[in-house]
Amino acid sequence: MNIRKLVWLEFKQHKSQLISGLLAITLGIAVIVGIRSISVVSEKAVAVNLDNLGANILVLPQASNVDNYYAADIDAPTMPEEYVDRIVSSNLEGVDNLSPKLTRRIKVGTENVVLTGIMPKNEITSKPMWQQSGLLGNDLKASCAPTNAVNQSNGYEDEKLKRKVIDSLGADEYLLGSTIARKLKLADGGSVVILGEKFKVSRVLNETGTVDDDRIFIHLRKAQELLKIPNQVSAIEIMGCCNAISDGLLSKLRNVLPDTRITTIGQIVATQIQTNKMMNKVSLIFLIIIIFVGGISIGNFMWANINERRKEIGMLRMIGFNKATIYRMILAKAFVLGIIGGLIGYILGTAAGVWLGPELAGLPVQPIPSLILISLCISIVVSLLGSILPAYLAGRIDPFKNMQEV
Amino acid sequence: MILKTNNLCKQYQHKDVPVDALNHVSFDVNEGDFVTITGASGSGKTTLLLSLAGLIQASSGEIRIMDFDVVQASDRKLSDFRRKHIGFVMQSFALIPYLTAIENVMLPLAISKGKKEQKYQKALALLKLVDLENRKNHLPSELSAGQQQRVAIARALVNSPTLILADEPTGNLDPSLSTDILNLLKKINKEEKITILMVTHSPLAAEYGNRKINLHNGCIN
């Protein structure tokens, strides 16, 4: 028999009370972990997107926004594919590449996937990451236009032609994001039925850490046909020269396509960063709430427990337990409560993040092991803080007033 | 001499009226004595016992147990002293309901140094002494009143105390069980040479001591 065993046996005796005592702190930790899990992935995705996204201007239908585009909802607005030709024929300086896309969320087997219709080589030229997957042999600099030499090596001799989209993906082939490939258990050369048509995997793309990992890419024409949205696109990604953007390329584009929404990746990133900041603020607010509500809840639970055990504590004082030992017993219990609350909170929060992350942020969320330590620290500190006053009052329990009634 | 009180006084305030629970109580107890403290209800018996243990702060006077100044000692020193030198037996047994008999006996050892096995063996030997070895894993609720009191006596002995303070140890027991408990205390006093101070209102129980102190309105008769 020692203090630890005594605390543990008392714990077992009152385990049903634990649920109410731990509820506030566990839920608080769960919310913090859930938000943090999603926001960390989101922050990483922004960074990776910024690094890897060759295109830096996004043309969207007037009624659409970036969220609509990435969510790829069934009724997300579209715009005529003819807009691509308008841009090409406008001969705007600084527009080095165009990539029209049509995106829709569909079901393949039991999985929800985003089907994206692309003009293949154009798409490839605008994405350095895709270059690395070996579909095209030449590296491109991110965020700025490829040089003429690069384009010539791709076979674009004519200045106008080099901007034209070129089809290099067979009508029955598709590219597969790495995450969705894992989910569908598909590899290079495999086949799958999409909207009633059989397609062959042209290649599983390398992991990029972006929304592209969750997408299936088919030829734009095929996508329009299968989705029954002929001659329409959801967005046009443009690789614009950085200097040209500074020189007013966006306003020139808006003149060419007045009924569209034109935004830069910088704006998208800024919006995402803003969202992340907001999520971090929400985490902070929850942290403050947890300290108050969780601490009060634990304190209330401990005080109720001590009141119930007044006679027992009085008896312990009688047989020689000094005040410091009583404090230690109460705080040891608070410590264990903190560990349980922190662990359960981490598990619930991580599960919520993994489950809700793809729905809320459109990103796959992985558990973050380092959050266990943070969860435990917060939970233990809150639990100990909430128990200080009850422990102090327990030490002041008068033995003789209670011991005759034990 | 193991215990000495000198002019011990305890005054309560009851609705702003001072009440003298103990009034200049002086007596000595020698090692190996079995002293019974008798008196009518409200005569100050329990107040005297609790004052001796330092569980009630005396208003004035002196208490010395083995030269330890009970009145002037700090809470920490008093707690240590109680744990090392005093065993308690209470009318209501004062057992922890979620601990088994042997765990209750080992309880005072929870904050003592020593090996777990040694503590266990000591508690087991004491349960054997009170004839409850076969009930070591029973909870208090699974024991009779007499058995619970015997567990409490074993717990009082576990730290090898010099002095046992017993407050109406037979108060909740029927006559035959009372006799068992009193015989057990007498045996401990004789064989273990442990000094016992027992508060009782029962004239029969008082006969078990070798000395009697009778209190009346806080004074020794």
Side-chain angles (χ1 to χ4, degrees):
Chain A
M1 174 64 64
N2 54 32
I3 296 291
R4 261 180 302 171
K5 187 170 183 190
L6 190 59
V7 171
W8 177 244
L9 290 171
E10 199 276 322
F11 241 122
K12 280 168 63 181
Q13 177 70 10
H14 298 106
K15 50 182 180 281
S16 59
Q17 291 179 356
L18 283 179
I19 297 167
S20 59
L22 282 173
L23 199 62
I25 199 163
T26 303
L27 290 180
I29 295 285
V31 171
I32 289 176
V33 170
I35 291 174
R36 193 67 198 140
S37 299
I38 295 171
S39 67
V40 163
V41 172
S42 179
E43 280 164 15
K44 277 185 187 165
V46 170
V48 173
N49 277 339
L50 203 58
D51 285 346
N52 296 320
L53 200 62
N56 49 17
I57 298 171
L58 196 59
V59 180
L60 297 166
Q62 184 70 55
S64 185
N65 57 36
V66 175
D67 289 340
N68 287 148
Y69 173 60
Y70 282 111
D73 292 332
I74 195 77
D75 53 353
T78 56
M79 59 191 175
E81 191 188 333
E82 173 261 330
Y83 285 6
V84 176
D85 295 334
R86 277 207 226 171
I87 298 169
V88 171
S89 57
S90 67
N91 284 320
L92 286 173
E93 282 295 321
V95 175
D96 290 301
N97 215 297
L98 299 169
S99 175
K101 287 182 173 176
L102 178 64
T103 60
R104 281 289 182 274
R105 196 173 283 276
I106 61 163
K107 258 204 154 51
V108 174
T110 56
E111 295 292 335
N112 272 313
V113 299
V114 176
L115 182 69
T116 304
I118 56 168
M119 286 296 182
K121 278 204 173 173
N122 206 308
E123 185 77 26
I124 292 160
T125 312
S126 68
K127 292 203 175 185
M129 283 298 287
W130 289 25
Q131 287 277 323
Q132 291 160 19
S133 64
L135 284 163
L136 205 68
N138 300 288
D139 289 339
L140 290 176
K141 287 178 187 170
S143 306
C144 213
T147 62
N148 281 345
V150 169
N151 285 330
Q152 276 162 10
S153 75
N154 291 343
Y156 308 140
E157 299 296 338
D158 181 75
E159 275 297 306
K160 196 171 179 180
L161 264 180
K162 89 174 180 189
R163 298 183 190 159
K164 286 275 187 185
V165 288
I166 295 167
D167 189 346
S168 70
L169 191 64
D172 62 342
E173 291 180 336
Y174 68 103
L175 303 172
L176 205 53
S178 59
T179 305
I180 199 66
R182 275 198 300 274
K183 283 184 186 170
L184 295 173
K185 298 184 177 68
L186 286 169
D188 291 358
S191 64
V192 74
V193 175
I194 300 171
L195 296 173
E197 267 199 40
K198 195 172 178 184
F199 284 79
K200 196 176 83 184
V201 180
S202 173
R203 182 175 288 269
V204 175
L205 300 167
N206 290 340
E207 190 163 345
T208 64
T210 68
V211 289
D212 289 347
D213 292 345
D214 264 331
R215 292 185 174 208
I216 288 179
F217 298 89
I218 62 172
H219 192 280
L220 179 63
R221 299 273 172 267
K222 199 73 192 172
Q224 289 168 337
E225 180 192 325
L226 290 175
L227 294 168
K228 298 184 177 60
I229 315 173
N231 303 318
Q232 293 285 308
V233 293
S234 306
I236 304 167
E237 285 183 1
I238 298 174
M239 186 187 283
C241 176
C242 303
N243 293 338
I245 293 171
S246 310
D247 292 342
L249 177 60
L250 293 187
S251 59
K252 288 172 192 166
L253 277 169
R254 283 185 189 116
N255 287 336
V256 175
L257 302 171
D259 53 347
T260 58
R261 181 184 293 270
I262 299 172
T263 182
T264 62
I265 297 301
Q267 286 170 313
I268 297 168
V269 170
T271 307
Q272 190 61 52
I273 287 170
Q274 195 66 28
T275 307
N276 290 342
K277 277 185 180 170
M278 193 193 73
M279 288 171 85
N280 286 336
K281 276 184 186 168
V282 171
S283 293
L284 190 65
I285 290 167
F286 264 95
L287 185 61
I288 294 166
I289 291 172
I290 197 183
I291 286 171
F292 279 96
V293 178
I296 290 168
S297 168
I298 290 273
N300 187 44
F301 161 71
M302 293 299 267
W303 182 235
N305 178 257
I306 286 163
N307 259 325
E308 194 180 300
R309 298 169 60 207
R310 287 185 80 83
K311 294 165 190 172
E312 179 190 322
I313 292 168
M315 190 275 291
L316 294 175
R317 295 276 289 124
M318 180 183 78
I319 63 171
F321 282 54
N322 59 31
K323 286 180 184 176
T325 308
I326 301 293
Y327 298 154
R328 262 171 51 209
M329 283 173 61
I330 306 296
L331 294 179
K333 184 171 177 174
F335 187 81
V336 177
L337 273 176
I339 290 176
I340 296 172
L343 280 179
I344 297 176
Y346 171 79
I347 292 166
L348 289 180
T350 300
V354 170
W355 182 43
L356 294 174
E359 297 291 327
L360 296 178
L363 296 164
V365 173
Q366 299 294 319
I368 305 172
S370 63
L371 284 181
I372 294 178
L373 200 63
I374 295 167
S375 303
L376 285 175
C377 285
I378 294 172
S379 183
I380 289 169
V381 168
V382 169
S383 186
L384 288 175
L385 285 176
S387 303
I388 286 175
L389 185 61
Y392 172 74
L393 295 172
R396 289 172 63 89
I397 287 175
D398 228 338
F400 79 91
K401 279 187 182 167
N402 301 287
M403 66 183 191
Q404 296 213 345
E405 302 161 25
V406 177
Chain B
M1 193 191 323
I2 193 168
L3 184 151
K4 178 183 175 64
T5 71
N6 190 20
N7 281 323
L8 186 64
C9 295
K10 178 65 188 176
Q11 197 172 60
Y12 293 110
Q13 292 287 329
H14 183 69
K15 294 180 180 174
D16 293 334
V17 178
V19 177
D20 288 320
L22 295 175
N23 197 358
H24 298 284
V25 173
S26 301
F27 67 95
D28 299 337
V29 176
N30 293 318
E31 195 166 353
D33 275 355
F34 190 152
V35 181
T36 55
I37 302 169
T38 57
S41 289
S43 60
K45 305 186 297 290
T46 299
T47 304
L48 174 62
L49 199 77
L50 298 177
S51 299
L52 295 176
L55 295 168
I56 288 179
Q57 181 69 38
S59 304
S60 64
E62 188 184 14
I63 304 168
R64 285 193 171 271
I65 303 175
M66 295 157 53
D67 279 336
F68 179 79
D69 188 341
V70 173
V71 177
Q72 299 298 327
S74 66
D75 176 76
R76 190 181 190 89
K77 282 185 177 172
L78 258 178
S79 297
D80 284 351
F81 184 79
R82 279 200 297 269
R83 181 165 50 82
K84 288 174 184 166
H85 301 292
I86 301 179
F88 289 90
V89 181
M90 310 308 293
Q91 181 177 350
S92 56
F93 322 133
L95 300 176
I96 292 185
Y98 54 85
L99 299 185
T100 61
I102 197 155
E103 285 167 345
N104 265 294
V105 175
M106 288 166 73
L107 196 57
L109 302 175
I111 45 176
S112 301
K113 288 177 183 169
K115 287 186 178 170
K116 189 179 163 188
E117 185 56 28
Q118 281 176 340
K119 291 178 181 179
Y120 183 85
Q121 289 303 331
K122 188 167 189 181
L124 195 61
L126 287 167
L127 279 180
K128 199 172 180 179
L129 178 75
V130 299
D131 203 20
L132 282 176
E133 193 186 9
N134 58 342
R135 298 296 190 105
K136 65 181 180 193
N137 292 324
H138 287 221
L139 293 170
S141 58
E142 296 162 344
L143 300 172
S144 70
Q147 287 169 332
Q148 287 185 53
Q149 192 59 297
R150 279 191 277 160
V151 172
I153 290 169
R155 185 185 64 195
L157 293 170
V158 78
N159 269 332
S160 308
T162 318
L163 179 67
I164 285 182
L165 299 177
D167 186 16
E168 302 276 12
T170 57
N172 279 352
L173 304 177
D174 62 39
S176 80
L177 287 175
S178 296
T179 307
D180 284 350
I181 294 298
L182 289 167
N183 283 331
L184 180 60
L185 288 172
K186 189 76 185 169
K187 180 182 164 190
I188 289 164
N189 172 247
K190 285 250 181 205
E191 293 177 7
E192 309 291 326
K193 309 284 184 212
I194 294 172
T195 309
I196 297 177
L197 257 78
M198 181 175 78
V199 163
T200 181
H201 64 270
S202 155
L204 185 71
E207 293 304 317
Y208 279 77
N210 64 331
R211 264 184 73 195
K212 283 185 206 169
I213 293 175
N214 186 255
L215 284 178
H216 180 71
N217 288 336
C219 299
I220 294 181
N221 270 346

